[in-house]
């Protein structure tokens, strides 16, 4: 039934009777008493709602404090709920002030602000009012404001001004808001495609390169990469994303019955790259490995000597009930905050310089770039990033992968590269 | 006219309009049943489609209907981290309001599913919109935010990268959510009015997609909630979370338990039927039947018949008391959406968007096939004789031109 013409969000219906108030009232029947009562009541309801919903100047600053105070497990919710009812009555000219209140708000309270902004704007527009577009554009231009507040300001503008994308988005290619930057990259890719189709190859390559440099999300990075490679342009995906390609690996250690997740094997106690330890089967020692996968995937089934088929394991000759460790020696000139992001289909833990950053006791629930994120701080000099990758003993064919991919970046996803990083030679170049 | 008189009339008008609500997954009482409704038994682009509205995002959740409005949840964005609640006017299909939120929990899912997988729930005054990211937003019927919980914000290891799908259920003054996964696995009862956690019980560390369901208690007003887990079914006091009884049986993790009268229908060992004890202790086994195994849609009970749809799209009809399979009908396709029954017609929509209307009786018969031509994963709703169906892109109202 894909043949309906859509108008805004409503797709007009064929053969649909004209409906007027009151609902459920067939035109060929006399109006029942209950329906008349309902109609009158609804009229009063509408009047009283208008009365209740009239806008007013509110003390945004004081109310925003309460919305920002929302914490986990319901903390501060009662006060925030009261504050929300008050702030949602604000006049539309207070929208920039409400958006400014999002500065310093946590992920949870950002949603309280968002709902209030939407309620104010939608009510105001329904009543035939106009949004303070100039003030909202000024807010959008102020990169000191909270990224999500600026994004929301843009959405308000774009909701009433069809030219907003063309006017505002091109200048946001390197914006600190990931959402605004994403739109800018998408627009750049669209422009590059148009240039390519018009036969303007040099311009297209330049625009694709700009889009690639600004892209922080995987799908856009892949799209720009594909286009640049079609023009035989060199692209360093692992360098752009910050994938760690060189590792020291050791294993397998025992993870029978998934009990090894909480066992501290020797690499968790001390890093000694020349040491030999008792592994699950025989002795194990550290070996170096450089992945050639441009998204940094390290496949431990390929690296550690496989068990013999038909002996220990019933269905496959892949490793089962095993643990591997991966170590990166990551050199930096300056201390700095970072995010370590891992994609791993197995249970995993990550330590930075001996400090446990994250532990994810999940097996075979998918693997994606940036699946798990952890915050850490690099020290000046050599840092040790240690990863524990635990495979369980499921025999399903879809549960045989034992692999991970890890990158180091900032909160926006911009690569943080090690000083001792070697030039990449991946399967793709 | 005084303010109090105005309010009285307002309340009266609301009461007059709220007779045909579909408040949560599988309907207000969780039975997937609207005995007196008669939606059209066939429709097409030019017949019996009252309206079709665009949705701002994807969703495996079903629509719900409250006071003449339909509420739908969606998720959008490359990471599906933008969460939506959209309210439509049932008469016109026009958007009444639309709220968006940023997900605070994990948003990875299997491509077939969506972050908006759980069907929202309502107590008739509030909408409880729940997502795979474990965000739980409570709005009033006009879109005003009453409270917002990020349950994975509270318990960061709660999540399942294949996607969570358990729908919340309102039991009295508590909205119950079941978040079973390999990380922080629990069920919780949240105060509908304040958003505060009344109770929280640990659950097994295994992925589970089933939904809780209310179980009316012996005492007037007392309500329990049933939680189905991989190792059994437990009944809990809805106000305290206290475990009232446990029945050990290896349950399915996709189709959900159903209740009809004093019988409980568990997707376990095929289908396992229990009879409630008069003293509210552990129920007793009536029968189990591997022939009546449901998957992934949940069982439906209509009078003395139980219906299950299996993985191959075969509908089975069984006797409630004996478990004897009475007939089978190949409907065809995979049914992630649990069918709904209106009168003696069952509306079965497979994931390819083919809706088969089945005449129920001494045997089953497909009376029409109606194509939505879009993937359908959410269970439909029935209200005021209309069928409401959502896809990743649209919401349809299927209704006769004149009712």
């Amino acid at each position: 039934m894909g043949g309906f013409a859509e108008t805004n969000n409503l797709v007009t219906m064929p053969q649909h009777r004209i409906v007027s108030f009151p609902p459920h009232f067939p035109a060929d029947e006399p109006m029942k008493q209950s329906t008349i009562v309902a109609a009158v009541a609804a009229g009063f309801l509408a009047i009283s709602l208008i009365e209740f919903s009239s806008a007013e100047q509110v003390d945004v600053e004081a109310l925003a404090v309460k919305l920002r105070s929302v914490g986990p497990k319901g903390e501060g919710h009662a006060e925030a709920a009261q504050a929300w009812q008050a702030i949602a009555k604000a006049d539309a000219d207070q929208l920039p002030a409400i958006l400014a209140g999002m500065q310093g708000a946590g992920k949870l309270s950002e949603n309280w602000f968002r709902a209030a902004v939407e309620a104010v704007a939608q009510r105001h527009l329904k009543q035939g009012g106009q949004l303070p577009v100039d003030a909202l554009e000024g807010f959008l231009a102020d990169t000191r404001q909270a990224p999500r507040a600026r994004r929301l300001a843009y959405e308000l503008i774009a909701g009433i001004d069809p030219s907003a994308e063309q006017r505002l988005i091109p200048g946001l290619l390197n914006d600190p808001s990931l959402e605004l930057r994403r739109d800018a990259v998408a627009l750049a890719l669209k422009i590059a495609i148009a240039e390519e189709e018009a036969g303007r190859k040099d311009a297209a390559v330049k625009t694709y390169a700009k889009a690639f440099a600004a892209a922080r999300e995987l799908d856009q990075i892949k799209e720009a990469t594909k286009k640049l490679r079609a023009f035989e342009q060199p692209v360093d995906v692992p360098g752009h994303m910050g994938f760690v390609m060189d590792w020291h690996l050791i294993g397998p250690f025992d993870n029978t019955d998934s009990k090894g997740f909480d066992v501290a094997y020797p690499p968790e106690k001390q890093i000694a790259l020349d040491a030999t330890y008792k592994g699950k089967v025989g002795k194990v020692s550290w070996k170096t490995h450089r992945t050639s996968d441009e998204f940094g995937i390290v496949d431990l089934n390929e690296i550690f000597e496989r068990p013999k088929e038909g002996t220990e394991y019933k269905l496959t000759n892949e490793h089962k009930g095993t643990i591997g460790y991966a170590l990166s020696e990551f050199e930096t000139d300056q201390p700095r905050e970072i995010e370590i992001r891992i994609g791993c289909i197995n249970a995993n833990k990550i330590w930075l310089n001996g400090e446990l950053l994250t532990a994810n006791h999940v097996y075979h629930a998918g693997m994606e770039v940036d699946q798990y994120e952890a915050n850490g701080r690099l020290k000046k000099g050599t840092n040790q990033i240690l990863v524990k990758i635990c495979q369980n003993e499921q025999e399903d064919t879809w549960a045989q992968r034992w692999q991970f991919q890890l990158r180091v970046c900032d909160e926006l996803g911009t690569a943080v590269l090690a000083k001792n990083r070697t030039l990449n030679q991946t399967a793709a170049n | 006219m005084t303010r109090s008189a105005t309010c009285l009339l307002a309340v009266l008008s609301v009461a007059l309009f709220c007779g045909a609500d579909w408040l949560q997954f599988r309907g207000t009482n969780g039975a997937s049943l609207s005995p007196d409704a008669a939606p059209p038994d066939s429709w097409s682009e030019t017949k019996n489609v009252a309206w079709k509205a665009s949705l701002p995002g994807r969703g495996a959740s079903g629509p719900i209907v409250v006071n003449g409005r339909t509420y739908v949840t969606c998720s959008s964005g490359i990471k599906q981290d933008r969460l939506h609640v959209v309210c439509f006017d049932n008469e016109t299909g026009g958007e009444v309001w639309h709220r968006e939120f940023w997900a605070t929990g994990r948003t990875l899912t299997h491509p077939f599913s969506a972050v908006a997988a759980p069907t929202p729930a309502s107590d008739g005054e509030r909408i409880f919109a729940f997502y795979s990211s474990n965000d739980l937003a409570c709005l009033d019927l006009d879109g005003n935010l009453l409270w917002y919980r990020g349950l994975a914000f509270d318990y960061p290891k709660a999540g399942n990268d294949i996607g969570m799908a358990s729908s919340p259920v309102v039991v009295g003054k508590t909205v119950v959510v079941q978040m079973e996964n390999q990380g922080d696995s629990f069920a919780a009862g949240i105060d509908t009015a304040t958003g505060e956690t009344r109770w929280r019980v640990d659950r097994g560390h295994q992925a589970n997609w089933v939904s809780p369901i209310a179980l009316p208690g012996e005492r007037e007003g007392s309500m329990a909630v049933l939680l189905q887990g991989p190792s059994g079914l437990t009944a809990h006091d809805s106000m305290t979370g206290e475990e009232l009884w446990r029945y050990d049986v290896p349950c399915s993790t996709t189709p959900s338990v159903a209740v009809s009268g004093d019988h409980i229908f568990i997707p376990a060992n095929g289908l396992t039927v229990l009879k409630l004890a008069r003293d509210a202790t552990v129920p007793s086994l009536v029968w189990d039947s591997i022939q009546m195994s449901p998957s992934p849609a949940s069982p439906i009970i209509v009078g003395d018949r139980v219906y299950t749809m299996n993985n191959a799209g075969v509908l089975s009809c069984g006797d409630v008391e004996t478990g004897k399979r009475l007939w089978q009908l190949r409907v065809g396709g995979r049914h992630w959406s649990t069918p709904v029954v209106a009168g003696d017609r069952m509306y079965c929509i497979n994931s390819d968007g083919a809706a088969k209307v089945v005449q129920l009786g001494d045997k089953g018969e497909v009376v029409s096939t109606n194509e939505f031509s879009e993937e359908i994963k959410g269970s439909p709703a029935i209200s005021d004789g209309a069928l409401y169906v959502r896809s990743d892109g649209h919401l349809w109202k299927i209704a006769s031109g004149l009712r």
Side-chain angles (χ1 to χ4, degrees), chain A residues 1 6 9 11 13-14 17 41 51 73 77 111 122 126 155 179 359-360 363 371, chain B residues 3 9 45 50 52 54 82 96 98-100 102 106 148 154 157 161 182 371 394 401:
Chain A
M1 302 205 298
E6 299 184 25
N9 96 320
V11 184
M13 66 294 284
R17 65 199 166 97
E51 185 182 338
K73 301 183 181 176
H77 275 51
N111 280 322
Q122 289 177 16
K126 255 184 188 167
E155 289 176 14
E179 292 173 293
N360 304 293
Y363 292 96
Q371 190 173 7
Chain B
R3 173 65 57 84
L9 276 174
E45 286 183 23
K52 176 185 177 186
S54 292
R82 190 65 75 86
V96 180
H98 176 189
R99 291 283 170 272
E100 293 185 49
W102 289 286
R106 304 183 68 72
Y148 191 100
D154 299 348
K157 297 301 179 190
D161 290 347
Q182 292 184 61
E371 296 290 347
H394 296 100

Short mmCIF file of all heavy atoms in Angstrom, two decimals, chain A residues 1 6 9 11 13-14 17 41 51 73 77 111 122 126 155 179 359-360 363 371, chain B residues 3 9 45 50 52 54 82 96 98-100 102 106 148 154 157 161 182 371 394 401:
data_model
loop_
_atom_site.label_atom_id
_atom_site.label_comp_id
_atom_site.label_asym_id
_atom_site.label_seq_id
_atom_site.Cartn_x
_atom_site.Cartn_y
_atom_site.Cartn_z
N MET A 1 0.83 -1.19 0.00
CA MET A 1 0.00 0.00 0.00
C MET A 1 0.87 1.24 0.00
O MET A 1 0.73 2.14 0.79
CB MET A 1 -0.91 -0.02 1.23
CG MET A 1 -1.77 -1.26 1.26
SD MET A 1 -3.25 -1.06 2.18
CE MET A 1 -2.61 -0.74 3.79
N GLU A 6 1.87 11.63 0.54
CA GLU A 6 2.08 12.10 1.90
C GLU A 6 2.13 13.62 1.94
O GLU A 6 2.76 14.25 1.12
CB GLU A 6 3.39 11.54 2.46
CG GLU A 6 3.37 10.03 2.49
CD GLU A 6 4.60 9.46 3.12
OE1 GLU A 6 5.21 10.16 3.94
OE2 GLU A 6 4.94 8.32 2.82
N ASN A 9 3.23 14.96 7.77
CA ASN A 9 3.36 13.59 8.23
C ASN A 9 2.09 12.79 7.96
O ASN A 9 2.05 11.61 8.16
CB ASN A 9 3.74 13.54 9.72
CG ASN A 9 2.56 13.37 10.60
OD1 ASN A 9 1.53 13.96 10.35
ND2 ASN A 9 2.71 12.56 11.62
N VAL A 11 -0.61 11.08 5.60
CA VAL A 11 -0.82 10.57 4.26
C VAL A 11 -2.31 10.61 4.04
O VAL A 11 -3.07 9.97 4.77
CB VAL A 11 -0.29 9.14 4.15
CG1 VAL A 11 -0.42 8.66 2.72
CG2 VAL A 11 1.15 9.09 4.60
N MET A 13 -6.03 10.03 3.00
CA MET A 13 -6.66 8.74 2.83
C MET A 13 -7.65 8.75 1.66
O MET A 13 -8.30 9.75 1.39
CB MET A 13 -7.41 8.35 4.11
CG MET A 13 -8.60 9.22 4.45
SD MET A 13 -8.17 10.91 4.87
CE MET A 13 -7.55 10.68 6.51
N PRO A 14 -7.75 7.64 0.99
CA PRO A 14 -8.76 7.54 -0.04
C PRO A 14 -10.11 7.24 0.59
O PRO A 14 -10.18 6.66 1.68
CB PRO A 14 -8.27 6.36 -0.87
CG PRO A 14 -7.52 5.52 0.09
CD PRO A 14 -6.94 6.45 1.11
N ARG A 17 -14.47 9.56 4.87
CA ARG A 17 -15.53 10.52 5.10
C ARG A 17 -14.96 11.77 5.76
O ARG A 17 -13.95 11.71 6.45
CB ARG A 17 -16.61 9.91 5.98
CG ARG A 17 -16.13 9.58 7.37
CD ARG A 17 -17.05 8.59 8.04
NE ARG A 17 -16.45 8.03 9.22
CZ ARG A 17 -16.67 8.46 10.45
NH1 ARG A 17 -17.47 9.48 10.64
NH2 ARG A 17 -16.11 7.88 11.48
N ALA A 41 -18.84 19.59 27.05
CA ALA A 41 -17.76 19.41 28.01
C ALA A 41 -16.41 19.60 27.35
O ALA A 41 -15.51 20.25 27.90
CB ALA A 41 -17.85 18.00 28.62
N GLU A 51 -6.67 28.36 28.90
CA GLU A 51 -6.42 29.21 30.05
C GLU A 51 -5.20 28.72 30.82
O GLU A 51 -4.32 29.48 31.19
CB GLU A 51 -7.66 29.17 30.94
CG GLU A 51 -7.58 30.12 32.12
CD GLU A 51 -8.82 30.00 33.01
OE1 GLU A 51 -9.85 29.53 32.52
OE2 GLU A 51 -8.71 30.38 34.17
N LYS A 73 18.73 6.98 39.61
CA LYS A 73 17.83 6.31 40.54
C LYS A 73 16.74 7.24 41.09
O LYS A 73 16.35 7.16 42.24
CB LYS A 73 18.62 5.65 41.67
CG LYS A 73 19.61 4.63 41.13
CD LYS A 73 20.36 3.90 42.20
CE LYS A 73 21.36 2.92 41.56
NZ LYS A 73 22.20 2.22 42.49
N HIS A 77 14.05 13.97 41.19
CA HIS A 77 12.97 13.94 40.21
C HIS A 77 11.75 14.74 40.66
O HIS A 77 11.10 15.39 39.85
CB HIS A 77 12.55 12.49 39.91
CG HIS A 77 13.39 11.84 38.86
ND1 HIS A 77 14.77 11.85 38.90
CD2 HIS A 77 13.07 11.18 37.73
CE1 HIS A 77 15.24 11.22 37.85
NE2 HIS A 77 14.23 10.80 37.12
N ASN A 111 17.37 15.57 28.75
CA ASN A 111 16.05 15.18 28.23
C ASN A 111 14.92 15.98 28.87
O ASN A 111 13.89 16.24 28.25
CB ASN A 111 15.83 13.68 28.44
CG ASN A 111 16.52 12.86 27.37
OD1 ASN A 111 16.55 13.27 26.21
ND2 ASN A 111 17.09 11.74 27.76
N GLN A 122 6.24 24.15 20.57
CA GLN A 122 5.06 23.60 19.88
C GLN A 122 3.79 24.32 20.29
O GLN A 122 2.92 24.60 19.48
CB GLN A 122 4.97 22.08 20.13
CG GLN A 122 6.07 21.30 19.39
CD GLN A 122 6.05 19.81 19.68
OE1 GLN A 122 5.08 19.26 20.20
NE2 GLN A 122 7.14 19.13 19.34
N LYS A 126 1.51 26.51 17.72
CA LYS A 126 0.10 26.15 17.55
C LYS A 126 -0.81 27.36 17.78
O LYS A 126 -1.88 27.45 17.19
CB LYS A 126 -0.26 25.03 18.54
CG LYS A 126 -0.38 23.68 17.86
CD LYS A 126 -0.84 22.61 18.80
CE LYS A 126 -0.75 21.27 18.08
NZ LYS A 126 -0.88 20.15 18.96
N GLU A 155 17.36 22.60 15.35
CA GLU A 155 16.14 21.88 14.97
C GLU A 155 14.91 22.78 15.05
O GLU A 155 13.99 22.67 14.23
CB GLU A 155 15.97 20.63 15.84
CG GLU A 155 17.00 19.56 15.50
CD GLU A 155 16.92 18.34 16.42
OE1 GLU A 155 15.91 18.20 17.14
OE2 GLU A 155 17.87 17.55 16.40
N GLU A 179 26.16 15.87 16.27
CA GLU A 179 24.96 15.82 15.43
C GLU A 179 25.00 16.90 14.34
O GLU A 179 24.63 16.65 13.19
CB GLU A 179 23.70 15.99 16.28
CG GLU A 179 23.45 14.82 17.22
CD GLU A 179 22.30 15.09 18.18
OE1 GLU A 179 22.45 15.98 19.05
OE2 GLU A 179 21.28 14.43 18.07
N ALA A 359 34.57 -3.36 32.43
CA ALA A 359 34.45 -4.82 32.44
C ALA A 359 33.08 -5.16 31.87
O ALA A 359 32.06 -4.66 32.36
CB ALA A 359 34.59 -5.36 33.87
N ASN A 360 33.06 -5.96 30.84
CA ASN A 360 31.80 -6.27 30.14
C ASN A 360 31.64 -7.78 30.03
O ASN A 360 32.26 -8.42 29.18
CB ASN A 360 31.81 -5.62 28.76
CG ASN A 360 32.05 -4.13 28.85
OD1 ASN A 360 31.20 -3.39 29.37
ND2 ASN A 360 33.21 -3.67 28.41
N TYR A 363 28.69 -12.27 26.34
CA TYR A 363 29.18 -13.14 25.28
C TYR A 363 28.23 -13.13 24.08
O TYR A 363 27.02 -13.30 24.23
CB TYR A 363 29.30 -14.58 25.78
CG TYR A 363 30.38 -14.79 26.82
CD1 TYR A 363 30.08 -14.77 28.18
CD2 TYR A 363 31.70 -15.02 26.43
CE1 TYR A 363 31.07 -14.99 29.13
CE2 TYR A 363 32.70 -15.22 27.38
CZ TYR A 363 32.37 -15.21 28.73
OH TYR A 363 33.35 -15.41 29.66
N GLN A 371 31.60 -0.32 20.48
CA GLN A 371 30.53 -1.01 21.22
C GLN A 371 30.55 -0.66 22.71
O GLN A 371 29.51 -0.44 23.31
CB GLN A 371 30.73 -2.52 21.03
CG GLN A 371 29.62 -3.39 21.52
CD GLN A 371 29.86 -4.83 21.11
OE1 GLN A 371 30.91 -5.19 20.57
NE2 GLN A 371 28.90 -5.68 21.38
N ARG B 3 -14.79 27.35 38.08
CA ARG B 3 -13.70 26.46 37.67
C ARG B 3 -14.03 25.00 37.97
O ARG B 3 -13.78 24.10 37.17
CB ARG B 3 -12.40 26.89 38.39
CG ARG B 3 -11.22 25.96 38.20
CD ARG B 3 -10.75 25.91 36.74
NE ARG B 3 -10.40 27.22 36.26
CZ ARG B 3 -9.20 27.79 36.46
NH1 ARG B 3 -8.27 27.15 37.10
NH2 ARG B 3 -8.95 28.99 36.00
N LEU B 9 -17.08 18.98 34.07
CA LEU B 9 -17.48 18.66 32.70
C LEU B 9 -16.31 18.09 31.91
O LEU B 9 -16.49 17.21 31.08
CB LEU B 9 -18.01 19.92 32.02
CG LEU B 9 -19.49 20.19 32.31
CD1 LEU B 9 -19.87 21.53 31.72
CD2 LEU B 9 -20.36 19.10 31.73
N GLU B 45 -5.54 -0.17 -0.87
CA GLU B 45 -5.19 1.25 -0.98
C GLU B 45 -6.43 2.12 -1.09
O GLU B 45 -6.43 3.28 -0.68
CB GLU B 45 -4.30 1.49 -2.20
CG GLU B 45 -2.89 0.99 -2.02
CD GLU B 45 -2.01 1.31 -3.21
OE1 GLU B 45 -2.33 2.24 -3.97
OE2 GLU B 45 -1.01 0.61 -3.40
N ALA B 50 -8.65 4.37 6.75
CA ALA B 50 -9.13 5.68 7.16
C ALA B 50 -8.05 6.73 6.98
O ALA B 50 -8.30 7.84 6.51
CB ALA B 50 -9.59 5.65 8.62
N LYS B 52 -3.36 7.14 6.81
CA LYS B 52 -2.00 6.60 6.91
C LYS B 52 -1.08 7.78 7.22
O LYS B 52 -1.08 8.76 6.48
CB LYS B 52 -1.60 5.94 5.59
CG LYS B 52 -0.17 5.41 5.53
CD LYS B 52 0.12 4.89 4.12
CE LYS B 52 1.55 4.41 3.97
NZ LYS B 52 1.86 4.06 2.56
N SER B 54 2.83 9.29 8.42
CA SER B 54 4.26 9.00 8.47
C SER B 54 4.77 9.03 9.89
O SER B 54 4.29 9.80 10.73
CB SER B 54 5.04 10.04 7.65
OG SER B 54 4.76 9.90 6.29
N ARG B 82 17.95 8.67 19.00
CA ARG B 82 16.91 9.67 19.16
C ARG B 82 15.60 8.93 19.38
O ARG B 82 15.17 8.14 18.54
CB ARG B 82 16.85 10.56 17.93
CG ARG B 82 15.97 11.78 18.10
CD ARG B 82 16.51 12.74 19.15
NE ARG B 82 17.64 13.51 18.71
CZ ARG B 82 17.55 14.65 18.04
NH1 ARG B 82 16.38 15.16 17.74
NH2 ARG B 82 18.64 15.31 17.70
N VAL B 96 -0.84 15.24 16.99
CA VAL B 96 -1.25 16.15 18.06
C VAL B 96 -0.01 16.72 18.75
O VAL B 96 0.07 17.91 19.00
CB VAL B 96 -2.16 15.43 19.07
CG1 VAL B 96 -2.60 16.38 20.18
CG2 VAL B 96 -3.38 14.84 18.36
N HIS B 98 4.51 15.70 19.57
CA HIS B 98 5.65 14.85 19.27
C HIS B 98 6.78 15.23 20.23
O HIS B 98 7.17 16.38 20.27
CB HIS B 98 6.06 15.07 17.80
CG HIS B 98 7.29 14.34 17.37
ND1 HIS B 98 7.90 14.57 16.16
CD2 HIS B 98 8.04 13.38 17.97
CE1 HIS B 98 8.96 13.79 16.03
NE2 HIS B 98 9.07 13.07 17.12
N ARG B 99 7.24 14.30 21.02
CA ARG B 99 8.36 14.56 21.93
C ARG B 99 9.55 13.71 21.51
O ARG B 99 9.38 12.58 21.07
CB ARG B 99 8.00 14.21 23.37
CG ARG B 99 6.98 15.13 23.98
CD ARG B 99 7.59 16.47 24.39
NE ARG B 99 6.55 17.40 24.75
CZ ARG B 99 5.91 18.20 23.89
NH1 ARG B 99 6.24 18.20 22.62
NH2 ARG B 99 4.97 19.02 24.29
N GLU B 100 10.74 14.28 21.69
CA GLU B 100 11.96 13.53 21.38
C GLU B 100 12.89 13.55 22.59
O GLU B 100 12.91 14.51 23.36
CB GLU B 100 12.69 14.16 20.19
CG GLU B 100 11.94 14.04 18.88
CD GLU B 100 12.75 14.57 17.71
OE1 GLU B 100 13.93 14.19 17.59
OE2 GLU B 100 12.20 15.35 16.93
N TRP B 102 17.03 12.02 23.95
CA TRP B 102 18.29 11.38 23.61
C TRP B 102 18.43 10.14 24.49
O TRP B 102 18.28 10.22 25.72
CB TRP B 102 19.46 12.31 23.88
CG TRP B 102 19.58 13.46 22.93
CD1 TRP B 102 20.00 13.40 21.62
CD2 TRP B 102 19.30 14.86 23.19
NE1 TRP B 102 20.00 14.67 21.07
CE2 TRP B 102 19.59 15.57 21.99
CE3 TRP B 102 18.86 15.56 24.29
CZ2 TRP B 102 19.44 16.95 21.89
CZ3 TRP B 102 18.70 16.93 24.18
CH2 TRP B 102 18.99 17.61 23.01
N ARG B 106 22.36 1.93 26.07
CA ARG B 106 22.92 1.32 24.86
C ARG B 106 21.86 1.30 23.74
O ARG B 106 20.69 1.04 24.00
CB ARG B 106 23.40 -0.10 25.14
CG ARG B 106 24.40 -0.18 26.27
CD ARG B 106 24.91 -1.59 26.48
NE ARG B 106 25.73 -2.04 25.37
CZ ARG B 106 26.96 -1.62 25.11
NH1 ARG B 106 27.52 -0.71 25.90
NH2 ARG B 106 27.64 -2.09 24.09
N TYR B 148 11.32 11.14 34.07
CA TYR B 148 12.14 10.46 33.06
C TYR B 148 13.22 9.64 33.78
O TYR B 148 14.03 10.20 34.51
CB TYR B 148 12.81 11.49 32.14
CG TYR B 148 13.46 10.88 30.92
CD1 TYR B 148 12.82 10.90 29.69
CD2 TYR B 148 14.71 10.28 30.99
CE1 TYR B 148 13.41 10.34 28.56
CE2 TYR B 148 15.30 9.71 29.88
CZ TYR B 148 14.65 9.75 28.66
OH TYR B 148 15.23 9.19 27.55
N ASP B 154 21.21 4.33 35.52
CA ASP B 154 21.31 3.90 36.92
C ASP B 154 22.16 2.63 37.04
O ASP B 154 22.92 2.47 37.98
CB ASP B 154 19.92 3.60 37.48
CG ASP B 154 19.00 4.81 37.46
OD1 ASP B 154 19.51 5.92 37.22
OD2 ASP B 154 17.79 4.64 37.67
N LYS B 157 25.42 -1.54 33.24
CA LYS B 157 25.64 -2.80 32.53
C LYS B 157 24.34 -3.43 32.05
O LYS B 157 24.34 -4.55 31.55
CB LYS B 157 26.41 -3.79 33.41
CG LYS B 157 27.80 -3.30 33.79
CD LYS B 157 28.65 -3.06 32.56
CE LYS B 157 30.04 -2.55 32.94
NZ LYS B 157 30.80 -2.08 31.77
N ASP B 161 23.02 -6.02 23.18
CA ASP B 161 23.30 -5.39 21.88
C ASP B 161 22.55 -6.05 20.73
O ASP B 161 22.66 -5.60 19.58
CB ASP B 161 24.80 -5.37 21.63
CG ASP B 161 25.49 -4.37 22.55
OD1 ASP B 161 24.77 -3.56 23.18
OD2 ASP B 161 26.73 -4.40 22.67
N GLN B 182 22.68 -10.10 29.99
CA GLN B 182 23.89 -10.70 30.58
C GLN B 182 24.59 -9.77 31.57
O GLN B 182 25.49 -10.19 32.28
CB GLN B 182 24.87 -11.06 29.46
CG GLN B 182 24.38 -12.19 28.56
CD GLN B 182 25.44 -12.59 27.54
OE1 GLN B 182 26.54 -13.01 27.87
NE2 GLN B 182 25.11 -12.45 26.27
N GLU B 371 -2.04 -6.51 1.92
CA GLU B 371 -0.61 -6.22 1.92
C GLU B 371 -0.32 -4.79 2.41
O GLU B 371 -0.84 -3.83 1.86
CB GLU B 371 -0.03 -6.38 0.50
CG GLU B 371 -0.10 -7.79 -0.04
CD GLU B 371 0.86 -8.76 0.64
OE1 GLU B 371 1.76 -8.27 1.37
OE2 GLU B 371 0.71 -9.98 0.46
N HIS B 394 5.34 4.00 8.88
CA HIS B 394 3.97 4.50 8.86
C HIS B 394 3.10 3.91 9.96
O HIS B 394 3.39 2.86 10.52
CB HIS B 394 3.32 4.18 7.50
CG HIS B 394 3.97 4.89 6.36
ND1 HIS B 394 4.89 4.29 5.53
CD2 HIS B 394 3.86 6.17 5.92
CE1 HIS B 394 5.32 5.16 4.63
NE2 HIS B 394 4.71 6.32 4.85
N GLY B 401 -15.50 2.77 6.18
CA GLY B 401 -15.82 4.16 5.89
C GLY B 401 -16.90 4.68 6.81
O GLY B 401 -16.85 5.81 7.28
#
